[in-house]
Amino acid sequence: MSAALDVVLEAGDITDARADVVLLKHAQNFYGADSAVAQRLESIGVPRSQLEVAVGAHLFVETRGTLGAPLALFLGTVRLGNFGYHEIRQFAARALKALESRSGIRHVACTVHGTNYGLDEDEAALALVGGLVEAFLRGAGPESLERITVVELRPKRVERLRKALERGLGGSPGVEPLPTGWGFRVKRMNQVVQAPSLATAGAQSLAKPHAFVAMPFAPELEDVYHYGILGPVRAAGLLCERVDQAVFEGAIIQRIKERIDTAKVVIADLSMANPNVYLEVGYAWGRGRQTVLLVRDLKELKFDVAGHRCLVYRNIRDLETQLSRELQHLG
């Protein structure tokens, strides 16, 4: 049995990742990377109906040159709305167990789940990697397994997630930085002892309150979210959740409603007068959620906010200061 496992996070497209097997979920429908892989497989005559996997089951599919990996593993999970941090951690452990049936698996590629569909990206990454590391330390996985590569399309997100994983994995017994490049080497020990951040990633997130952020999916507002909103929200002891999708439909709308329903507070940036954001604010008000409204310029507002507090920010630092104060005021 392999005594060490290298875990790395790289920028790239999961459909082109060079590995022995690519790991995917089937949340009773196809989304994101899972949908992209399914589309590739359709091109060689594998219909999506053959890739549908019941909750708790799994399916291996030979990709016949359509992917960078010769084999794809689909794991059936609960529907998207119920696929949270705890389920991501369970998904990771199930994946390593399922891979034990295949000999010669040395390198597995996967993606972080939930980052585009409303989950806190740091917590989602920690849930996935924490689940993989814990399962490996407990003896799960193919005997030949040597490397897991987590692939993320957005280079900036890769930078952020690397920092999150360094905080979560750094100092954990049996986990050390790779001698070259970015990543960690996990060494099996006689006794499994885990650092608190690694042991609880995804396991206690259900009990941790969250803020839901409604804002346009636009490149010019990315820094507003990551540097003006994220910090104050986490400093207030909340997970920070946002749906990174330009078009909201079907299961995505349901996902948004469910996360607003359970949010401690809804923070909405009304800049750019995005209609989806206005709908989310209206839904939050209808459900009695606390809301914090933000805007870069009052001229961008498309309705009268008289009677509703609206923070007008001049720049990101100003937003960070005002939002921190507002969240403290709301308790």
Side-chain angles (χ1 to χ4, degrees):
M1 181 174 289
S2 176
L5 173 68
D6 291 352
V7 180
V8 300
L9 173 62
E10 298 179 349
D13 189 329
I14 191 64
T15 59
D16 298 323
R18 296 291 179 180
D20 295 316
V21 60
V22 61
L23 172 62
L24 305 151
K25 73 177 186 306
H26 179 253
Q28 308 316 298
N29 209 327
F30 295 94
Y31 307 96
D34 319 313
S35 180
V37 169
Q39 185 174 358
R40 291 274 190 103
L41 293 174
E42 281 182 313
S43 70
I44 58 169
V46 182
R48 293 196 177 208
S49 59
Q50 289 186 14
L51 303 175
E52 295 175 355
V53 189
V55 177
H58 66 268
L59 173 70
F60 285 98
V61 182
E62 294 183 1
T63 65
R64 301 187 339 231
T66 57
L67 301 178
L71 199 62
L73 169 59
F74 285 87
L75 268 70
T77 72
V78 294
R79 67 183 186 85
L80 190 65
N82 294 329
F83 192 67
Y85 310 104
H86 180 65
E87 288 72 26
I88 291 173
R89 195 178 179 90
Q90 291 180 319
F91 168 87
R94 284 182 53 210
L96 287 195
K97 194 68 179 175
L99 288 168
E100 292 178 358
S101 65
R102 293 282 172 148
S103 61
I105 298 294
R106 296 179 180 276
H107 185 188
V108 175
C110 62
T111 62
V112 177
H113 298 284
T115 52
N116 293 334
Y117 298 100
L119 296 186
D120 182 295
E121 65 178 24
D122 286 7
E123 192 74 9
L126 283 168
L128 175 71
V129 177
L132 290 168
V133 170
E134 181 182 34
F136 177 80
L137 288 172
R138 294 186 182 280
E143 293 185 0
S144 53
L145 185 62
E146 297 175 350
R147 178 184 173 102
I148 295 177
T149 300
V150 182
V151 182
E152 164 58 41
L153 267 175
R154 304 181 193 178
K156 286 189 175 181
R157 178 175 281 167
V158 169
E159 294 176 12
R160 295 192 301 267
L161 294 184
R162 282 180 172 179
K163 293 177 181 178
L165 292 175
E166 287 168 1
R167 292 192 299 268
L169 293 175
S172 299
V175 180
E176 60 187 36
L178 288 176
T180 58
W182 189 94
F184 294 92
R185 180 158 293 159
V186 184
K187 296 182 178 180
R188 283 195 172 108
M189 301 176 294
N190 293 332
Q191 183 177 6
V192 177
V193 181
Q194 297 180 57
S197 57
L198 174 60
T200 61
Q204 295 182 355
S205 299
L206 288 175
K208 193 172 184 179
H210 70 273
F212 184 86
V213 179
M215 64 187 301
F217 181 59
E220 57 265 44
L221 292 180
E222 278 299 288
D223 285 349
V224 170
Y225 174 73
H226 290 290
Y227 301 105
I229 297 176
L230 198 59
V233 168
R234 288 182 175 160
L238 305 172
L239 297 177
C240 195
E241 302 189 347
R242 179 183 71 154
V243 173
D244 284 358
Q245 293 291 311
V247 178
F248 295 165
E249 56 186 14
I252 306 304
I253 293 177
Q254 185 60 32
R255 175 84 166 195
I256 290 169
K257 289 181 178 179
E258 289 168 348
R259 300 318 290 167
I260 290 176
D261 285 344
T262 55
K264 182 80 171 177
V265 61
V266 174
I267 300 168
D269 193 330
L270 302 175
S271 304
M272 301 178 68
N274 183 280
N276 288 330
V277 177
Y278 280 82
L279 285 172
E280 290 168 87
V281 170
Y283 182 78
W285 284 351
R287 301 297 291 176
R289 297 293 89 193
Q290 289 191 105
T291 58
V292 177
L293 305 181
L294 317 172
V295 73
R296 297 177 301 187
D297 188 333
L298 286 174
K299 294 178 182 178
E300 294 185 273
L301 295 176
K302 295 302 180 183
F303 72 97
D304 185 359
V305 296
H308 299 285
R309 183 176 177 80
C310 188
L311 305 182
V312 183
Y313 61 92
R314 300 184 303 276
N315 51 51
I316 291 175
R317 184 177 293 277
D318 180 38
L319 171 59
E320 183 180 24
T321 300
Q322 289 197 64
L323 184 56
S324 295
R325 188 181 303 120
E326 186 70 10
L327 292 176
Q328 288 177 357
H329 174 72
L330 292 175

